[in-house]
Amino acid sequence: MTVQLLPVEPLGIGSSEIESISSFFVRLSVVNGASPKKILEWIGKKNGISELVPSIASSAPINLVRPTKLNAKFLSALSQSTGVDVNILGRMTYHSLDLVVNRHQGCFDKRFRWCPACIYETANMNHPTHFRLYWSLTGFNNCPIHHTPLQTRCPVCGSYQDSWRNRDALDVCVSCGTTLGYSYLHPELITAAGMVSQQAPEAPDLILLTKFISEGNSHALKPDGPRKALYEAFDYAWNRNEELEYFKKLPRDECLAYLHCNKPITITTARRLAFRTGVPLVDLLCGSTKECTRELDANWRDELPDSLKPQKRKPYIDVEHAQEAIKQALKDPQRPSLRDFSQQIGISTGGLSYYFYDQCTLISKRYKQRLVEEKMEKKDAAAKAVRDAIFQWQKERIDPPSHKGLLKLLFPSSGLPKHVLRATIARSLDVKTKV
Ligand SMILES: [Zn+2]
Ligand SMILES: [Zn+2]
């Protein structure tokens, strides 16, 4: 291994066709004549992060595009060792999304994927092959340019390309050396994971988002962006008396939970909300709706694309019915929890909080008070039961009352929880022995 790494130029910077950090890293390893694993270990040693290397190497190289703390550390080490600005490296990832979206399950494919047509074309034009960053997103099943299904296995030997092993080039199979563009000439070898669409690209919003990141605009992403953008969109609908209709079309529960309960938002939710509110995804994530016309009609009455459809739909809120039920709940001496109440009337807590914020706070308050009172009552009841039991014991037996004996006596008959009894018995007997 050399002392310094031979440099590699990041490809596609500033365009939506930007390469993924994983692609860059594999090319780096090819140029330096060592396996990606070896390069990883070397970088780890050079930058004092050797202890992180096993964790990184335990998943496929494609996972480097995902926003995680581990990947962020790796990125700065990679920057140190290659001399490529960490901000440039960051553009080859979706790390910056971590600012806005909190969960990423299901957003990223766990394997290296590629479009055989793209690979074939770049090779034919004598351009260096690179794996596009957006191929890592599950939002795509097909290449947006060629509509070819993205591939995960070598067309000849069937190997996945996720290895950290040595390879001769990025565009050839890590096991058998076949060019990954081979199936372009033999379409019968192409395996289709999802539906092959010959029309519009599947996820134009994700392409624009990728371009946005690729251009180095990530600093404009705002942690509170979607919330701000949604409030603006709601106000707009409210003013046009379209609020209810709006809700019928929105992923209501997700949306309300996000707005009112500080639930984290996923990229998929953000996409659904963007689609329904007519606010472009990038604008939604940046919290700016100023640029867009918010002409909702064109978009939000349309059917959601399949990939964005929520798993299940719940019935819509019947506001009048809910209002009456809330009145009753606030009078109910049982003082139910908001959760129990929400289950009882079949409306999510997020939905309830949106329409009846103050009342819901009151319901929760009443429930908390109930819990406090119940605790006090149990404590009093336990104290009395233990006192009586000790009195009875001392009348009937000559041995001193024991913790175990008292518990055995009281637990089945008193109807009080064991831990309360135990604590009370301990207190009573300790006081007695001290006296
Ligand atoms: Zn393609
Ligand atoms: Zn192969």
Side-chain angles (χ1 to χ4, degrees), residues 154-159 161 173-178:
C154 165
V156 171
C157 75
S159 296
Q161 303 298 313
C173 170
V174 68
S175 296
C176 72
T178 303

Side-chain angles (χ1 to χ4, degrees), residues 214-231:
S214 176
E215 285 169 344
N217 298 317
S218 292
H219 55 87
L221 296 168
K222 294 279 177 309
D224 218 30
R227 196 168 280 124
K228 200 172 148 253
L230 280 177
Y231 273 127

Side-chain angles (χ1 to χ4, degrees), residues 143-158:
C143 169
I145 300 163
H146 302 99
H147 309 294
T148 313
L150 295 177
Q151 302 295 294
T152 54
R153 286 169 180 271
C154 165
V156 171
C157 75

